[in-house]
Amino acid sequence: MTKILALTGADAAAEAMRQVHPDVVAAYPITPQTGIVQTYSSFVADGLVDTEMVTVESEHSAMSAVVGAASAGARAMTATSANGLALMWEIVYIAASYRLPIVAPVVNRALSGPINIHCDHSDSMGCRDSGWIQLFSENTQETYDNIIQAVKIGENKDVMLPVMITLDGFIISHVMERVEALEDEEVSKFVGTFTAKYPLLDVDNPVTYGPLDLQDYYFEHKRQQYQAMQNSADVIKNVGKEFGALSGRYYDLLELHKMEDAEFAIIALGSTAGTAKYLVDQMRNEGKKVGMIKIRSFRPFPIEDLRLAVKKLKGLSVLDRSISFGAKGGPVFVEVESALFRTGIDIPVLNYIYGLGGRDITPTEMRISFSDLEKAVKGEKFPAVQFIGLRG
Amino acid sequence: MKEMLEIRWHGRGGQGAKTAADLLAQAAIHQGKFAQGFPEYGPERMGAPMRSYDRISEKPITIHSAVEYPDIVIILDQTLLKNIPVTSGLKKDGIILINSSKDGKEIRELLKTDIGSLFIVDANKISKETIGRELPNTPLIGALIKVTKIMPLEPFLKDLTKKFEKKFSDKIIEGNINAVKRAFEEVKEHVQ
């Protein structure tokens, strides 16, 4: 049974969390994440959930508390944005290395400084090597759907990793949209109950979390983490199919929009992927053979799927909502280029940095990423990195 | 109805442009449509000019940028006409709906354009007489419903009651309902 709800992205996240019904939520408010925790707190206060809500004094403590809870065997969640995620930093790595399937919505916001509360992906991108699975949500519906799937992905015995579900700050967290929600029982059944393999509170089988791990075992543990992340790709696909069978909404590592006969395509993440779809539809009406590739899973990065998706293209543009100072291009661009390197796919790949600190990107502005490609295939040269929507 | 209706609200902080955009989107969604309602978040201050947006469609909406080319602009405060380009990007056959006590000729002079059709309602006066203070947002939705027939009035009023029940007294809710109904009746087109 489907319920149609009008929810903001933040409320959709809180609603998904309510239905998952974690044992512990520890969080500290930060704009634009606040809505999630505020709404979830009211669910706790109203007795709709019996989650242990830990109102900590900082994000460092929030992540520490969920690490403690998950080690003990609880299903634990937190949520944050930007500087909050930065303050969690050392514990973000620890959550992944302890193999704790924590789920954390991250409402994407620009990192300071100068201080800015609006959307870009610099916060999540900073965590791309931390060992967390990272799924980007395009809209409120996907925020809701991804949080439910994240529980099942992270807790899979071949994965056992924390999962970050991103949603664009304000653009998605604060937009009122239509959400098709599942019934509580459907979600409960889908996520099942969590039984930790080595819970800290199992006193009959005592274990230690976080002891000194030097030359003798640290390396092997990292190798296992590497394998877990490799394994997660198939699990994400399978959970996406299972969720599709339940909801009618199927998910994969990538989403392809009008790519069957496309000559040119753009790659985007998050809400911009939706705006790119709108532009592609407009340009299709004008007779242009264009398409869009949405990277839903940034970690693990869908290398093989991407190669398959682009192999017939004449040109590809990559949109980055964050900057990697000193690198060849933005984080998404660098991943894409590396995935295509030495595969025989030798097409122009252009990089556009846009939307830092919440700067809006319109379909009109986005057109340049297609018109440049038409020129690039004719031999015109472009700088390694270009900027959309930048003044001066 | 067009494939997708795009609306831009112009108001000042505290006049309820955000609430209006949310209310309208929510009502549209509850009536089976696809919709978005969102404000343009800046450094919000009471009285500072601000914008909010709605998109309403029979089909899923994928675009997530601010509205560039609105079908409708709604102006909550006539003093904005002096400094804010309220008709920027408005489609040629677009609609301008304004809360004003001025006559159409005077408003057209302030708008400095003949674009679109102009509809006027004195939402300040209506809200003062029904709610007790100047809150032009809900009556403007009443006027919008009349002008665009975007949805029937009754289900919207039910939705408004449900949303306001959590926050406001029966008296305020009743005032808002009367304000919406009166604006629905009183909105007038200015024909050039």
Side-chain angles (χ1 to χ4, degrees):
Chain A
M1 263 298 286
T2 298
K3 292 175 289 178
I4 305 292
L5 306 173
L7 295 175
T8 61
D11 282 349
E15 178 66 4
M17 287 168 69
R18 182 188 68 74
Q19 293 184 308
V20 169
H21 203 160
D23 303 305
V24 175
V25 169
Y28 189 81
I30 179 168
T31 303
Q33 159 264 31
T34 310
I36 299 178
V37 181
Q38 186 178 318
T39 302
Y40 200 79
S41 307
S42 66
F43 293 155
V44 174
D46 294 346
L48 298 179
V49 286
D50 59 9
T51 302
E52 182 73 31
M53 182 93 199
V54 192
T55 48
V56 287
E57 79 285 1
S58 78
E59 285 88 355
H60 190 277
S61 303
M63 189 54 85
S64 300
V66 290
V67 162
S71 304
R75 195 174 254 164
M77 290 189 176
T78 183
T80 193
S81 288
N83 295 35
L85 185 57
L87 187 54
M88 287 178 176
W89 191 248
E90 63 167 327
I91 319 296
V92 167
Y93 275 71
I94 290 170
S97 64
Y98 288 11
R99 308 290 300 278
L100 302 172
I102 294 159
V103 172
V106 167
V107 186
N108 287 131
R109 159 181 158 179
L111 282 168
S112 297
I115 194 163
N116 181 302
I117 58 168
H118 289 279
C119 175
D120 69 34
H121 295 160
S122 52
D123 49 3
S124 304
M125 286 303 166
C127 290
R128 65 192 191 268
D129 293 334
S130 66
W132 283 59
I133 291 167
Q134 295 183 313
L135 302 180
F136 280 75
S137 320
E138 181 186 318
N139 50 36
T140 53
Q141 181 72 62
E142 288 193 9
T143 302
Y144 172 85
D145 293 347
N146 281 340
I147 288 171
I148 294 166
Q149 290 173 74
V151 176
K152 202 158 185 169
I153 294 164
E155 291 175 5
N156 183 289
K157 67 175 174 40
D158 297 324
V159 179
M160 296 301 289
L161 288 175
V163 188
M164 191 178 286
I165 298 302
T166 79
L167 55 151
D168 283 349
F170 289 105
I171 303 165
I172 300 303
S173 65
H174 287 61
V175 65
M176 174 85 69
E177 279 188 326
R178 182 184 193 272
V179 176
E180 291 184 14
L182 297 163
E183 295 291 343
D184 291 1
E185 306 78 56
E186 289 176 312
V187 176
S188 302
K189 211 176 145 204
F190 184 80
V191 298
T193 47
F194 174 54
T195 313
K197 204 170 174 189
Y198 305 109
L200 201 54
L201 291 184
D202 182 359
V203 289
D204 296 327
N205 300 290
V207 289
T208 303
Y209 275 78
L212 199 60
D213 191 22
L214 301 178
Q215 299 96 319
D216 49 357
Y217 279 113
Y218 183 88
F219 199 177
E220 281 72 24
H221 287 141
K222 291 296 137 180
R223 173 66 179 87
Q224 288 178 348
Q225 254 181 277
Y226 170 84
Q227 194 57 48
M229 186 62 90
Q230 297 294 108
N231 297 347
S232 71
D234 281 343
V235 174
I236 295 169
K237 279 175 178 273
N238 289 336
V239 171
K241 278 180 205 148
E242 258 179 80
F243 188 80
L246 174 66
S247 66
R249 296 182 298 279
Y250 289 83
Y251 287 87
D252 205 330
L253 302 170
L254 295 178
E255 184 189 329
L256 308 180
H257 185 71
K258 307 207 167 157
M259 286 296 292
E260 299 80 20
D261 61 341
E263 294 177 346
F264 301 105
I266 47 179
I267 290 186
L269 275 63
S271 66
T272 308
T275 305
K277 282 180 194 167
Y278 179 87
L279 173 61
V280 163
D281 293 350
Q282 252 184 6
M283 292 179 71
R284 282 274 171 179
N285 288 336
E286 297 161 15
K288 304 262 188 197
K289 288 190 171 174
V290 292
M292 193 271 326
I293 300 170
K294 176 170 88 186
I295 294 176
R296 173 180 178 241
S297 171
F298 189 75
R299 285 289 181 267
F301 194 81
I303 299 167
E304 292 300 330
D305 296 45
L306 185 70
R307 285 176 185 161
L308 269 175
V310 306
K311 68 176 184 192
K312 288 182 192 158
L313 290 175
K314 290 182 179 169
L316 179 64
S317 284
V318 182
L319 303 189
D320 265 292
R321 198 162 202 153
S322 64
I323 205 160
S324 180
F325 301 106
K328 187 178 176 187
V332 187
F333 174 75
V334 171
E335 293 289 338
V336 170
E337 280 241 300
S338 129
L340 303 187
F341 189 61
R342 288 186 185 149
T343 55
I345 302 167
D346 190 17
I347 54 171
V349 183
L350 301 178
N351 188 206
Y352 298 87
I353 301 214
Y354 75 97
L356 301 188
R359 179 73 49 86
D360 195 24
I361 184 165
T362 64
T364 312
E365 291 171 315
M366 208 186 277
R367 272 176 184 263
I368 189 124
S369 57
F370 281 118
S371 57
D372 282 354
L373 282 179
E374 287 181 22
K375 293 177 194 161
V377 291
K378 288 175 190 151
E380 195 171 319
K381 297 287 172 218
F382 289 92
V385 171
Q386 299 186 82
F387 300 88
I388 296 181
L390 184 73
R391 282 195 305 263
Chain B
M1 198 175 110
K2 287 186 178 184
E3 196 158 288
M4 179 164 69
L5 200 62
E6 296 187 288
I7 303 171
R8 187 174 65 214
W9 298 76
H10 288 274
R12 291 185 182 277
Q15 286 183 316
K18 177 192 181 291
T19 305
D22 279 355
L23 264 175
L24 185 62
Q26 192 175 1
I29 290 165
H30 288 161
Q31 288 170 51
K33 294 180 199 297
F34 290 84
Q36 296 175 343
F38 57 104
E40 190 169 82
Y41 284 94
E44 294 107 79
R45 306 170 306 275
M46 188 79 91
M50 58 85 65
R51 288 183 281 194
S52 60
Y53 306 95
D54 279 296
R55 289 193 176 96
I56 299 172
S57 173
E58 299 295 337
K59 291 180 186 166
I61 302 168
T62 64
I63 185 170
H64 274 100
S65 55
V67 170
E68 271 184 299
Y69 305 109
D71 300 283
I72 302 168
V73 291
I74 305 175
I75 304 143
L76 286 95
D77 192 319
Q78 62 186 16
T79 64
L80 290 168
L81 295 181
K82 275 184 192 162
N83 299 315
I84 307 290
V86 291
T87 55
S88 156
L90 180 67
K91 287 182 186 144
K92 272 184 191 157
D93 57 349
I95 289 169
I96 304 164
L97 171 62
I98 185 166
N99 163 31
S100 179
S101 53
K102 296 182 196 296
D103 69 26
K105 215 175 144 228
E106 214 177 327
I107 292 165
R108 274 291 178 194
E109 276 166 24
L110 286 163
L111 284 170
K112 297 183 200 84
T113 170
D114 288 338
I115 195 170
S117 14
L118 175 63
F119 292 86
I120 307 162
V121 65
D122 195 344
N124 278 1
K125 181 167 171 273
I126 291 173
S127 54
K128 214 165 177 187
E129 288 170 9
T130 50
I131 308 166
R133 66 190 183 100
E134 288 182 3
L135 276 171
N137 60 349
T138 49
L140 277 167
I141 300 178
L144 176 75
I145 290 172
K146 174 73 170 284
V147 171
T148 59
K149 301 177 180 65
I150 198 166
M151 62 182 72
L153 192 59
E154 279 309 317
F156 169 73
L157 291 174
K158 264 189 203 159
D159 233 65
L160 182 141
T161 309
K162 213 174 154 196
K163 186 163 169 111
F164 280 12
E165 263 170 1
K166 294 174 197 160
K167 269 190 184 173
F168 302 113
S169 66
D170 288 351
K171 201 179 151 218
I172 301 229
I173 296 170
E174 200 193 322
N176 271 282
I177 288 173
N178 289 334
V180 173
K181 285 181 178 167
R182 264 190 63 185
F184 183 90
E185 294 303 330
E186 291 178 23
V187 63
K188 291 269 182 318
E189 182 170 11
H190 169 72
V191 185
Q192 295 175 69

